[in-house]
Amino acid sequence: MKKFKLSLLVVSLMFGTQTIAYEKGDWVVRAGLTSVVPDESSSNILLGGQDLGVGLTVDNNTQLGINLAYFLTDKINVELLAATPFTHDVNFSVTDPLGTGNQLGEVTQLPPSLLVNYYFLGADSPVQPYVGIGLNYTLFFDDSFTDANKAAGLNDLSLDNSFGVSAQLGFDVPINDKWHINGSVRWIDIDTEASFNLNGTSGRVADIEIDPFVYSILIGYTF
Ligand code: NI
């Protein structure tokens, strides 16, 4: 199915016969692949106030991305972005600092976002590019250490939820009157703080900037 639609996309790109334009009152629903690629930096792990000289890194993850948009005018829509939960490996910034491996644990997050998008072409076109800006709320849950770190006495990992801005660039390429292919690159400001416990001593990482780029390839339907 995906191959079929991709070949339709190639045909429409080659011939440019299919055009698309939105109208006030249109709804668009999209689903496909969304990748969260952190551009992270973190402060060092503090244990009982002592700086361990080690920070954290966060790996990429890809999930089912879903979004729903409503056109307030012919050129402006409001879009809610959702996805199945992203689970990221969290690693130490240096090799095996505690003798428990390179991975500290993993975190799962949901980053729902509400954006306002501006379609600057407006009129019928074989491609409809847009820019958007809005707000993101990221919920962290199921934060856990690896078994080796648990065995070393680490527990109670918890990350604060994050509230921040999000911006994106995207485009729609029509397959026919109803269906289109959508691509977007989004940036989200996601900042958090982690706390944990090591054999009764409390630890924290005060500043974790995840700030991911989020890439989506979706199939959309207008109704
Ligand atoms: Ni940030």
Side-chain angles (χ1 to χ4, degrees):
M1 194 64 183
K2 222 172 248 172
K3 250 183 193 158
F4 174 68
K5 278 178 178 152
L6 275 177
S7 56
L8 280 176
L9 167 66
V10 170
V11 168
S12 78
L13 283 176
M14 280 169 64
F15 298 102
T17 49
Q18 192 68 49
T19 60
I20 186 172
Y22 293 106
E23 286 172 12
K24 179 183 172 180
D26 281 350
W27 286 90
V28 174
V29 60
R30 304 185 182 103
L33 293 176
T34 294
S35 258
V36 172
V37 181
D39 181 27
E40 81 281 15
S41 64
S42 103
S43 58
N44 288 339
I45 300 170
L46 298 174
L47 187 62
Q50 191 196 335
D51 187 333
L52 298 188
V54 178
L56 302 174
T57 66
V58 183
D59 277 0
N60 305 343
N61 191 238
T62 300
Q63 292 292 335
L64 170 68
I66 301 161
N67 77 44
L68 181 69
Y70 176 75
F71 280 79
L72 300 171
T73 75
D74 293 355
K75 288 186 164 188
I76 294 171
N77 74 20
V78 176
E79 179 189 37
L80 179 67
L81 308 163
T84 49
F86 296 91
T87 298
H88 302 271
D89 287 353
V90 177
N91 301 309
F92 294 111
S93 62
V94 301
T95 306
D96 201 8
L98 305 180
T100 56
N102 296 329
Q103 186 182 348
L104 176 69
E106 63 177 36
V107 296
T108 301
Q109 53 101 357
L110 266 180
S113 304
L114 193 66
L115 279 84
V116 175
N117 297 303
Y118 178 63
Y119 281 73
F120 40 91
L121 294 182
D124 275 316
S125 166
V127 59
Q128 286 289 353
Y130 58 90
V131 292
I133 190 153
L135 293 171
N136 162 266
Y137 190 76
T138 299
L139 293 116
F140 291 96
F141 54 97
D142 278 350
D143 313 323
S144 65
F145 289 109
T146 61
D147 289 344
N149 284 299
K150 277 183 206 155
L154 281 163
N155 58 51
D156 291 342
L157 179 62
S158 165
L159 274 76
D160 287 355
N161 294 339
S162 167
F163 185 66
V165 298
S166 177
Q168 71 173 346
L169 289 171
F171 63 90
D172 295 329
V173 176
I175 296 168
N176 59 34
D177 287 0
K178 291 289 177 192
W179 293 91
H180 64 266
I181 301 278
N182 168 268
S184 68
V185 180
R186 189 183 324 152
W187 179 80
I188 309 179
D189 188 22
I190 301 178
D191 304 331
T192 184
E193 171 175 347
S195 61
F196 61 91
N197 203 288
L198 174 60
N199 297 319
T201 304
S202 68
R204 63 197 278 258
V205 184
D207 183 21
I208 305 171
E209 305 253 347
I210 299 176
D211 298 349
F213 284 93
V214 179
Y215 303 92
S216 293
I217 289 287
L218 310 174
I219 291 175
Y221 181 79
T222 307
F223 57 99

